[in-house]
Amino acid sequence: MIISVSRRTDIPAHYASWFFNRIKDGFVCVRNPFNPRQVSRIWLSPDAIDCIVFWTKHASAQFIQKMPLLDGQGYCYYVQYTITPYGRDIEPGVPPLSEAVQTFISLSRLIGKQRMIWRYDPIFCGAGWTVERHVAEFEHLAVQLSGSACRCIISFIDVYAKIRSRLAAYGIRELTEDEIHKLAYGIAHSAAQYGISVETCAESIDLMKYGIRHGHCIDGDFIASLNGIQKSFTKDRNQRPLCGCAASVDIGMYNTCAHGCVYCYAGGKFGRNIAAYDDNSPVLCSLITDNDYITDRNDNRVSYTKQLI
C-alpha cells in the first residue's frame, strides 16, 4: 500500500506532530470526503507500507527534524516539494521564495536528492505572468536547486468550476497550446543546463520533442527502485483520466491547509476545521465518535467494525 501525505492538505507544513504521532501509534484514520461517517483505519507498520509520498510547499522545521525516524524504522518515502515564485498575492500563506529554496536544499541534504522532487505547478498566465516571466523564474530556481532535486514535475492550471470565478477575479487563465510549447522549450533548456529532468503531471499534450515526458507523481516504477524490488502497482482509478499515478490512500483532509493559495481546489473552510485539530487524534482535524463506521483497510483485506478506537 502507498500512503499519500497528502494531495488534500499540507501535512509536512502544518501537522508534523500529528503525522509522527500516527507513525508512533502504528495507524491512522481517514474520513471519506463524500461520506464523513465512513472512516478508514490504515495500519502504518513499515512492512504494510510500500512507500509514503509527501506533498508540501513548506516542510516545517519540526517535520524535517523528525524525518530520520522514518529511516530508522525502515520506511520507504520521497518528497514532492512545490516551489513556485508567485508571491503573497497568489500564495498568501507560503513563505518567501528564498526561505522555500533553503528549506528544500536543507531537506535534500538530510534525505538525499534521489528522494526530492521539485514541483513547479500549477503554471498559469495572466495576473502579471507571461511565458517569458515563467522561463526566467524557472531558470532562477533551477540554478539554486541544481544538485538538490532528482527531477522536476510541471503541470498547467486546470480551471475547476469551484474556483473559476476566483481565478477570473485575479485575471488568471490557462495557457494556450502555443504558449505551452514556448514554455516547454524554455524550461527544458534551463533544466538541461542544470542537470534536472522534467516531466508533466496529468497532461495530454506531447512535449517529448523538448525532452519532457509524461510523468507520474506517485510513480510505481520509482517506488520499486527506491525499495530495490520488482513490483507492479495498479493505476489509481480515483484520479483524473490523464493521471498515471499508482493507487494510493490519502490520509489528509480537505479545507485544512493554511497556505490560502488562490488557485487551490482543496481549500476554503480552514478556520472551522483547524478548531478540531488534536495532535493525538487518529483522524486529522476531527475526532472519532460513536456514529462513525470504521473500516480496517490494508492489503485489500477489509473488515467492518462499529466501535470507538
Side-chain angles (χ1 to χ4, degrees), residues 183-206:
L183 180 73
Y185 174 81
I187 282 178
H189 178 73
S190 294
Q193 283 186 297
Y194 301 105
I196 301 173
S197 63
V198 183
E199 301 174 356
T200 57
C201 164
E203 299 292 345
S204 61
I205 193 165
D206 184 358

mmCIF file with all atom_site columns, all heavy atoms in Angstrom, residues 183-206:
data_model
loop_
_atom_site.group_PDB
_atom_site.id
_atom_site.type_symbol
_atom_site.label_atom_id
_atom_site.label_alt_id
_atom_site.label_comp_id
_atom_site.label_asym_id
_atom_site.label_entity_id
_atom_site.label_seq_id
_atom_site.pdbx_PDB_ins_code
_atom_site.Cartn_x
_atom_site.Cartn_y
_atom_site.Cartn_z
_atom_site.occupancy
_atom_site.B_iso_or_equiv
_atom_site.pdbx_formal_charge
_atom_site.auth_seq_id
_atom_site.auth_comp_id
_atom_site.auth_asym_id
_atom_site.auth_atom_id
_atom_site.pdbx_PDB_model_num
ATOM 1   N N   . LEU A 1 183 ? 6.816  27.693 -23.564 1.00 0.00 ? 183 LEU A N   1
ATOM 2   C CA  . LEU A 1 183 ? 7.241  27.489 -22.177 1.00 0.00 ? 183 LEU A CA  1
ATOM 3   C C   . LEU A 1 183 ? 8.070  26.218 -22.048 1.00 0.00 ? 183 LEU A C   1
ATOM 4   O O   . LEU A 1 183 ? 9.115  26.203 -21.385 1.00 0.00 ? 183 LEU A O   1
ATOM 5   C CB  . LEU A 1 183 ? 6.019  27.423 -21.272 1.00 0.00 ? 183 LEU A CB  1
ATOM 6   C CG  . LEU A 1 183 ? 6.295  27.216 -19.782 1.00 0.00 ? 183 LEU A CG  1
ATOM 7   C CD1 . LEU A 1 183 ? 6.861  28.491 -19.173 1.00 0.00 ? 183 LEU A CD1 1
ATOM 8   C CD2 . LEU A 1 183 ? 5.027  26.809 -19.049 1.00 0.00 ? 183 LEU A CD2 1
ATOM 9   N N   . ALA A 1 184 ? 7.599  25.131 -22.666 1.00 0.00 ? 184 ALA A N   1
ATOM 10  C CA  . ALA A 1 184 ? 8.307  23.852 -22.581 1.00 0.00 ? 184 ALA A CA  1
ATOM 11  C C   . ALA A 1 184 ? 9.713  23.970 -23.158 1.00 0.00 ? 184 ALA A C   1
ATOM 12  O O   . ALA A 1 184 ? 10.677 23.429 -22.578 1.00 0.00 ? 184 ALA A O   1
ATOM 13  C CB  . ALA A 1 184 ? 7.518  22.768 -23.311 1.00 0.00 ? 184 ALA A CB  1
ATOM 14  N N   . TYR A 1 185 ? 9.842  24.685 -24.251 1.00 0.00 ? 185 TYR A N   1
ATOM 15  C CA  . TYR A 1 185 ? 11.169 24.876 -24.855 1.00 0.00 ? 185 TYR A CA  1
ATOM 16  C C   . TYR A 1 185 ? 12.096 25.603 -23.889 1.00 0.00 ? 185 TYR A C   1
ATOM 17  O O   . TYR A 1 185 ? 13.243 25.190 -23.666 1.00 0.00 ? 185 TYR A O   1
ATOM 18  C CB  . TYR A 1 185 ? 11.035 25.675 -26.156 1.00 0.00 ? 185 TYR A CB  1
ATOM 19  C CG  . TYR A 1 185 ? 12.363 26.047 -26.770 1.00 0.00 ? 185 TYR A CG  1
ATOM 20  C CD1 . TYR A 1 185 ? 13.088 25.126 -27.532 1.00 0.00 ? 185 TYR A CD1 1
ATOM 21  C CD2 . TYR A 1 185 ? 12.910 27.319 -26.573 1.00 0.00 ? 185 TYR A CD2 1
ATOM 22  C CE1 . TYR A 1 185 ? 14.323 25.466 -28.081 1.00 0.00 ? 185 TYR A CE1 1
ATOM 23  C CE2 . TYR A 1 185 ? 14.137 27.662 -27.111 1.00 0.00 ? 185 TYR A CE2 1
ATOM 24  C CZ  . TYR A 1 185 ? 14.836 26.740 -27.872 1.00 0.00 ? 185 TYR A CZ  1
ATOM 25  O OH  . TYR A 1 185 ? 16.056 27.077 -28.402 1.00 0.00 ? 185 TYR A OH  1
ATOM 26  N N   . GLY A 1 186 ? 11.596 26.675 -23.287 1.00 0.00 ? 186 GLY A N   1
ATOM 27  C CA  . GLY A 1 186 ? 12.423 27.453 -22.372 1.00 0.00 ? 186 GLY A CA  1
ATOM 28  C C   . GLY A 1 186 ? 12.773 26.702 -21.105 1.00 0.00 ? 186 GLY A C   1
ATOM 29  O O   . GLY A 1 186 ? 13.927 26.725 -20.647 1.00 0.00 ? 186 GLY A O   1
ATOM 30  N N   . ILE A 1 187 ? 11.791 26.025 -20.515 1.00 0.00 ? 187 ILE A N   1
ATOM 31  C CA  . ILE A 1 187 ? 12.034 25.264 -19.289 1.00 0.00 ? 187 ILE A CA  1
ATOM 32  C C   . ILE A 1 187 ? 13.003 24.120 -19.544 1.00 0.00 ? 187 ILE A C   1
ATOM 33  O O   . ILE A 1 187 ? 13.928 23.875 -18.756 1.00 0.00 ? 187 ILE A O   1
ATOM 34  C CB  . ILE A 1 187 ? 10.702 24.756 -18.714 1.00 0.00 ? 187 ILE A CB  1
ATOM 35  C CG1 . ILE A 1 187 ? 9.977  25.893 -17.979 1.00 0.00 ? 187 ILE A CG1 1
ATOM 36  C CG2 . ILE A 1 187 ? 10.912 23.569 -17.773 1.00 0.00 ? 187 ILE A CG2 1
ATOM 37  C CD1 . ILE A 1 187 ? 8.634  25.508 -17.408 1.00 0.00 ? 187 ILE A CD1 1
ATOM 38  N N   . ALA A 1 188 ? 12.797 23.393 -20.632 1.00 0.00 ? 188 ALA A N   1
ATOM 39  C CA  . ALA A 1 188 ? 13.667 22.254 -20.937 1.00 0.00 ? 188 ALA A CA  1
ATOM 40  C C   . ALA A 1 188 ? 15.111 22.697 -21.130 1.00 0.00 ? 188 ALA A C   1
ATOM 41  O O   . ALA A 1 188 ? 16.049 22.022 -20.686 1.00 0.00 ? 188 ALA A O   1
ATOM 42  C CB  . ALA A 1 188 ? 13.161 21.534 -22.184 1.00 0.00 ? 188 ALA A CB  1
ATOM 43  N N   . HIS A 1 189 ? 15.297 23.843 -21.766 1.00 0.00 ? 189 HIS A N   1
ATOM 44  C CA  . HIS A 1 189 ? 16.658 24.358 -21.991 1.00 0.00 ? 189 HIS A CA  1
ATOM 45  C C   . HIS A 1 189 ? 17.337 24.670 -20.667 1.00 0.00 ? 189 HIS A C   1
ATOM 46  O O   . HIS A 1 189 ? 18.492 24.278 -20.442 1.00 0.00 ? 189 HIS A O   1
ATOM 47  C CB  . HIS A 1 189 ? 16.596 25.608 -22.870 1.00 0.00 ? 189 HIS A CB  1
ATOM 48  C CG  . HIS A 1 189 ? 17.933 26.237 -23.122 1.00 0.00 ? 189 HIS A CG  1
ATOM 49  N ND1 . HIS A 1 189 ? 18.871 25.683 -23.965 1.00 0.00 ? 189 HIS A ND1 1
ATOM 50  C CD2 . HIS A 1 189 ? 18.497 27.378 -22.608 1.00 0.00 ? 189 HIS A CD2 1
ATOM 51  C CE1 . HIS A 1 189 ? 19.960 26.441 -23.979 1.00 0.00 ? 189 HIS A CE1 1
ATOM 52  N NE2 . HIS A 1 189 ? 19.754 27.473 -23.163 1.00 0.00 ? 189 HIS A NE2 1
ATOM 53  N N   . SER A 1 190 ? 16.622 25.360 -19.791 1.00 0.00 ? 190 SER A N   1
ATOM 54  C CA  . SER A 1 190 ? 17.198 25.707 -18.487 1.00 0.00 ? 190 SER A CA  1
ATOM 55  C C   . SER A 1 190 ? 17.466 24.466 -17.651 1.00 0.00 ? 190 SER A C   1
ATOM 56  O O   . SER A 1 190 ? 18.524 24.330 -17.023 1.00 0.00 ? 190 SER A O   1
ATOM 57  C CB  . SER A 1 190 ? 16.251 26.640 -17.725 1.00 0.00 ? 190 SER A CB  1
ATOM 58  O OG  . SER A 1 190 ? 16.142 27.883 -18.377 1.00 0.00 ? 190 SER A OG  1
ATOM 59  N N   . ALA A 1 191 ? 16.495 23.549 -17.617 1.00 0.00 ? 191 ALA A N   1
ATOM 60  C CA  . ALA A 1 191 ? 16.640 22.348 -16.799 1.00 0.00 ? 191 ALA A CA  1
ATOM 61  C C   . ALA A 1 191 ? 17.838 21.518 -17.251 1.00 0.00 ? 191 ALA A C   1
ATOM 62  O O   . ALA A 1 191 ? 18.589 20.978 -16.416 1.00 0.00 ? 191 ALA A O   1
ATOM 63  C CB  . ALA A 1 191 ? 15.362 21.517 -16.869 1.00 0.00 ? 191 ALA A CB  1
ATOM 64  N N   . ALA A 1 192 ? 18.029 21.400 -18.563 1.00 0.00 ? 192 ALA A N   1
ATOM 65  C CA  . ALA A 1 192 ? 19.145 20.609 -19.082 1.00 0.00 ? 192 ALA A CA  1
ATOM 66  C C   . ALA A 1 192 ? 20.484 21.205 -18.656 1.00 0.00 ? 192 ALA A C   1
ATOM 67  O O   . ALA A 1 192 ? 21.442 20.472 -18.368 1.00 0.00 ? 192 ALA A O   1
ATOM 68  C CB  . ALA A 1 192 ? 19.065 20.528 -20.603 1.00 0.00 ? 192 ALA A CB  1
ATOM 69  N N   . GLN A 1 193 ? 20.556 22.531 -18.601 1.00 0.00 ? 193 GLN A N   1
ATOM 70  C CA  . GLN A 1 193 ? 21.798 23.190 -18.203 1.00 0.00 ? 193 GLN A CA  1
ATOM 71  C C   . GLN A 1 193 ? 22.201 22.826 -16.778 1.00 0.00 ? 193 GLN A C   1
ATOM 72  O O   . GLN A 1 193 ? 23.397 22.774 -16.454 1.00 0.00 ? 193 GLN A O   1
ATOM 73  C CB  . GLN A 1 193 ? 21.637 24.711 -18.292 1.00 0.00 ? 193 GLN A CB  1
ATOM 74  C CG  . GLN A 1 193 ? 21.705 25.271 -19.691 1.00 0.00 ? 193 GLN A CG  1
ATOM 75  C CD  . GLN A 1 193 ? 21.678 26.786 -19.665 1.00 0.00 ? 193 GLN A CD  1
ATOM 76  O OE1 . GLN A 1 193 ? 20.714 27.406 -19.234 1.00 0.00 ? 193 GLN A OE1 1
ATOM 77  N NE2 . GLN A 1 193 ? 22.771 27.382 -20.093 1.00 0.00 ? 193 GLN A NE2 1
ATOM 78  N N   . TYR A 1 194 ? 21.194 22.562 -15.940 1.00 0.00 ? 194 TYR A N   1
ATOM 79  C CA  . TYR A 1 194 ? 21.474 22.339 -14.525 1.00 0.00 ? 194 TYR A CA  1
ATOM 80  C C   . TYR A 1 194 ? 21.181 20.911 -14.079 1.00 0.00 ? 194 TYR A C   1
ATOM 81  O O   . TYR A 1 194 ? 21.063 20.633 -12.896 1.00 0.00 ? 194 TYR A O   1
ATOM 82  C CB  . TYR A 1 194 ? 20.681 23.356 -13.696 1.00 0.00 ? 194 TYR A CB  1
ATOM 83  C CG  . TYR A 1 194 ? 21.051 24.772 -14.070 1.00 0.00 ? 194 TYR A CG  1
ATOM 84  C CD1 . TYR A 1 194 ? 20.203 25.553 -14.844 1.00 0.00 ? 194 TYR A CD1 1
ATOM 85  C CD2 . TYR A 1 194 ? 22.289 25.296 -13.705 1.00 0.00 ? 194 TYR A CD2 1
ATOM 86  C CE1 . TYR A 1 194 ? 20.556 26.836 -15.218 1.00 0.00 ? 194 TYR A CE1 1
ATOM 87  C CE2 . TYR A 1 194 ? 22.654 26.578 -14.075 1.00 0.00 ? 194 TYR A CE2 1
ATOM 88  C CZ  . TYR A 1 194 ? 21.789 27.351 -14.837 1.00 0.00 ? 194 TYR A CZ  1
ATOM 89  O OH  . TYR A 1 194 ? 22.154 28.617 -15.223 1.00 0.00 ? 194 TYR A OH  1
ATOM 90  N N   . GLY A 1 195 ? 21.105 19.999 -15.049 1.00 0.00 ? 195 GLY A N   1
ATOM 91  C CA  . GLY A 1 195 ? 21.024 18.575 -14.736 1.00 0.00 ? 195 GLY A CA  1
ATOM 92  C C   . GLY A 1 195 ? 19.735 18.133 -14.098 1.00 0.00 ? 195 GLY A C   1
ATOM 93  O O   . GLY A 1 195 ? 19.724 17.187 -13.308 1.00 0.00 ? 195 GLY A O   1
ATOM 94  N N   . ILE A 1 196 ? 18.619 18.801 -14.433 1.00 0.00 ? 196 ILE A N   1
ATOM 95  C CA  . ILE A 1 196 ? 17.312 18.451 -13.869 1.00 0.00 ? 196 ILE A CA  1
ATOM 96  C C   . ILE A 1 196 ? 16.404 17.943 -14.990 1.00 0.00 ? 196 ILE A C   1
ATOM 97  O O   . ILE A 1 196 ? 16.155 18.661 -15.960 1.00 0.00 ? 196 ILE A O   1
ATOM 98  C CB  . ILE A 1 196 ? 16.656 19.663 -13.180 1.00 0.00 ? 196 ILE A CB  1
ATOM 99  C CG1 . ILE A 1 196 ? 17.560 20.199 -12.060 1.00 0.00 ? 196 ILE A CG1 1
ATOM 100 C CG2 . ILE A 1 196 ? 15.284 19.299 -12.632 1.00 0.00 ? 196 ILE A CG2 1
ATOM 101 C CD1 . ILE A 1 196 ? 17.068 21.493 -11.440 1.00 0.00 ? 196 ILE A CD1 1
ATOM 102 N N   . SER A 1 197 ? 15.918 16.720 -14.881 1.00 0.00 ? 197 SER A N   1
ATOM 103 C CA  . SER A 1 197 ? 14.963 16.211 -15.863 1.00 0.00 ? 197 SER A CA  1
ATOM 104 C C   . SER A 1 197 ? 13.581 16.777 -15.553 1.00 0.00 ? 197 SER A C   1
ATOM 105 O O   . SER A 1 197 ? 13.269 17.103 -14.406 1.00 0.00 ? 197 SER A O   1
ATOM 106 C CB  . SER A 1 197 ? 14.924 14.684 -15.845 1.00 0.00 ? 197 SER A CB  1
ATOM 107 O OG  . SER A 1 197 ? 14.479 14.214 -14.586 1.00 0.00 ? 197 SER A OG  1
ATOM 108 N N   . VAL A 1 198 ? 12.746 16.898 -16.588 1.00 0.00 ? 198 VAL A N   1
ATOM 109 C CA  . VAL A 1 198 ? 11.418 17.500 -16.427 1.00 0.00 ? 198 VAL A CA  1
ATOM 110 C C   . VAL A 1 198 ? 10.358 16.539 -16.937 1.00 0.00 ? 198 VAL A C   1
ATOM 111 O O   . VAL A 1 198 ? 10.519 15.901 -17.989 1.00 0.00 ? 198 VAL A O   1
ATOM 112 C CB  . VAL A 1 198 ? 11.314 18.844 -17.185 1.00 0.00 ? 198 VAL A CB  1
ATOM 113 C CG1 . VAL A 1 198 ? 9.941  19.487 -16.944 1.00 0.00 ? 198 VAL A CG1 1
ATOM 114 C CG2 . VAL A 1 198 ? 12.423 19.798 -16.756 1.00 0.00 ? 198 VAL A CG2 1
ATOM 115 N N   . GLU A 1 199 ? 9.275  16.435 -16.177 1.00 0.00 ? 199 GLU A N   1
ATOM 116 C CA  . GLU A 1 199 ? 8.124  15.609 -16.561 1.00 0.00 ? 199 GLU A CA  1
ATOM 117 C C   . GLU A 1 199 ? 6.851  16.423 -16.359 1.00 0.00 ? 199 GLU A C   1
ATOM 118 O O   . GLU A 1 199 ? 6.815  17.354 -15.552 1.00 0.00 ? 199 GLU A O   1
ATOM 119 C CB  . GLU A 1 199 ? 8.050  14.348 -15.697 1.00 0.00 ? 199 GLU A CB  1
ATOM 120 C CG  . GLU A 1 199 ? 9.275  13.462 -15.777 1.00 0.00 ? 199 GLU A CG  1
ATOM 121 C CD  . GLU A 1 199 ? 9.219  12.313 -14.797 1.00 0.00 ? 199 GLU A CD  1
ATOM 122 O OE1 . GLU A 1 199 ? 8.248  12.255 -14.009 1.00 0.00 ? 199 GLU A OE1 1
ATOM 123 O OE2 . GLU A 1 199 ? 10.134 11.476 -14.803 1.00 0.00 ? 199 GLU A OE2 1
ATOM 124 N N   . THR A 1 200 ? 5.795  16.039 -17.085 1.00 0.00 ? 200 THR A N   1
ATOM 125 C CA  . THR A 1 200 ? 4.492  16.669 -16.884 1.00 0.00 ? 200 THR A CA  1
ATOM 126 C C   . THR A 1 200 ? 3.617  15.797 -15.987 1.00 0.00 ? 200 THR A C   1
ATOM 127 O O   . THR A 1 200 ? 3.830  14.597 -15.861 1.00 0.00 ? 200 THR A O   1
ATOM 128 C CB  . THR A 1 200 ? 3.754  16.904 -18.213 1.00 0.00 ? 200 THR A CB  1
ATOM 129 O OG1 . THR A 1 200 ? 3.603  15.648 -18.897 1.00 0.00 ? 200 THR A OG1 1
ATOM 130 C CG2 . THR A 1 200 ? 4.489  17.887 -19.086 1.00 0.00 ? 200 THR A CG2 1
ATOM 131 N N   . CYS A 1 201 ? 2.643  16.435 -15.368 1.00 0.00 ? 201 CYS A N   1
ATOM 132 C CA  . CYS A 1 201 ? 1.679  15.751 -14.500 1.00 0.00 ? 201 CYS A CA  1
ATOM 133 C C   . CYS A 1 201 ? 0.293  15.848 -15.120 1.00 0.00 ? 201 CYS A C   1
ATOM 134 O O   . CYS A 1 201 ? -0.236 16.952 -15.302 1.00 0.00 ? 201 CYS A O   1
ATOM 135 C CB  . CYS A 1 201 ? 1.694  16.399 -13.115 1.00 0.00 ? 201 CYS A CB  1
ATOM 136 S SG  . CYS A 1 201 ? 0.275  16.011 -12.061 1.00 0.00 ? 201 CYS A SG  1
ATOM 137 N N   . ALA A 1 202 ? -0.282 14.698 -15.470 1.00 0.00 ? 202 ALA A N   1
ATOM 138 C CA  . ALA A 1 202 ? -1.673 14.602 -15.951 1.00 0.00 ? 202 ALA A CA  1
ATOM 139 C C   . ALA A 1 202 ? -1.955 15.563 -17.105 1.00 0.00 ? 202 ALA A C   1
ATOM 140 O O   . ALA A 1 202 ? -2.976 16.251 -17.120 1.00 0.00 ? 202 ALA A O   1
ATOM 141 C CB  . ALA A 1 202 ? -2.641 14.842 -14.796 1.00 0.00 ? 202 ALA A CB  1
ATOM 142 N N   . GLU A 1 203 ? -1.061 15.596 -18.086 1.00 0.00 ? 203 GLU A N   1
ATOM 143 C CA  . GLU A 1 203 ? -1.241 16.444 -19.256 1.00 0.00 ? 203 GLU A CA  1
ATOM 144 C C   . GLU A 1 203 ? -1.328 15.586 -20.514 1.00 0.00 ? 203 GLU A C   1
ATOM 145 O O   . GLU A 1 203 ? -0.594 14.613 -20.656 1.00 0.00 ? 203 GLU A O   1
ATOM 146 C CB  . GLU A 1 203 ? -0.076 17.429 -19.392 1.00 0.00 ? 203 GLU A CB  1
ATOM 147 C CG  . GLU A 1 203 ? 0.103  18.385 -18.222 1.00 0.00 ? 203 GLU A CG  1
ATOM 148 C CD  . GLU A 1 203 ? -1.020 19.391 -18.106 1.00 0.00 ? 203 GLU A CD  1
ATOM 149 O OE1 . GLU A 1 203 ? -1.797 19.558 -19.061 1.00 0.00 ? 203 GLU A OE1 1
ATOM 150 O OE2 . GLU A 1 203 ? -1.134 20.018 -17.022 1.00 0.00 ? 203 GLU A OE2 1
ATOM 151 N N   . SER A 1 204 ? -2.212 15.968 -21.419 1.00 0.00 ? 204 SER A N   1
ATOM 152 C CA  . SER A 1 204 ? -2.358 15.207 -22.664 1.00 0.00 ? 204 SER A CA  1
ATOM 153 C C   . SER A 1 204 ? -1.347 15.645 -23.724 1.00 0.00 ? 204 SER A C   1
ATOM 154 O O   . SER A 1 204 ? -0.977 14.863 -24.602 1.00 0.00 ? 204 SER A O   1
ATOM 155 C CB  . SER A 1 204 ? -3.776 15.371 -23.219 1.00 0.00 ? 204 SER A CB  1
ATOM 156 O OG  . SER A 1 204 ? -4.053 16.743 -23.504 1.00 0.00 ? 204 SER A OG  1
ATOM 157 N N   . ILE A 1 205 ? -0.880 16.871 -23.647 1.00 0.00 ? 205 ILE A N   1
ATOM 158 C CA  . ILE A 1 205 ? -0.013 17.408 -24.689 1.00 0.00 ? 205 ILE A CA  1
ATOM 159 C C   . ILE A 1 205 ? 1.335  16.678 -24.698 1.00 0.00 ? 205 ILE A C   1
ATOM 160 O O   . ILE A 1 205 ? 1.887  16.351 -23.644 1.00 0.00 ? 205 ILE A O   1
ATOM 161 C CB  . ILE A 1 205 ? 0.176  18.927 -24.491 1.00 0.00 ? 205 ILE A CB  1
ATOM 162 C CG1 . ILE A 1 205 ? 0.803  19.549 -25.741 1.00 0.00 ? 205 ILE A CG1 1
ATOM 163 C CG2 . ILE A 1 205 ? 0.971  19.245 -23.235 1.00 0.00 ? 205 ILE A CG2 1
ATOM 164 C CD1 . ILE A 1 205 ? 0.697  21.062 -25.771 1.00 0.00 ? 205 ILE A CD1 1
ATOM 165 N N   . ASP A 1 206 ? 1.837  16.408 -25.901 1.00 0.00 ? 206 ASP A N   1
ATOM 166 C CA  . ASP A 1 206 ? 3.098  15.693 -26.073 1.00 0.00 ? 206 ASP A CA  1
ATOM 167 C C   . ASP A 1 206 ? 4.234  16.704 -26.176 1.00 0.00 ? 206 ASP A C   1
ATOM 168 O O   . ASP A 1 206 ? 4.300  17.490 -27.121 1.00 0.00 ? 206 ASP A O   1
ATOM 169 C CB  . ASP A 1 206 ? 3.034  14.834 -27.337 1.00 0.00 ? 206 ASP A CB  1
ATOM 170 C CG  . ASP A 1 206 ? 4.281  13.978 -27.541 1.00 0.00 ? 206 ASP A CG  1
ATOM 171 O OD1 . ASP A 1 206 ? 5.215  14.080 -26.708 1.00 0.00 ? 206 ASP A OD1 1
ATOM 172 O OD2 . ASP A 1 206 ? 4.326  13.223 -28.533 1.00 0.00 ? 206 ASP A OD2 1
#
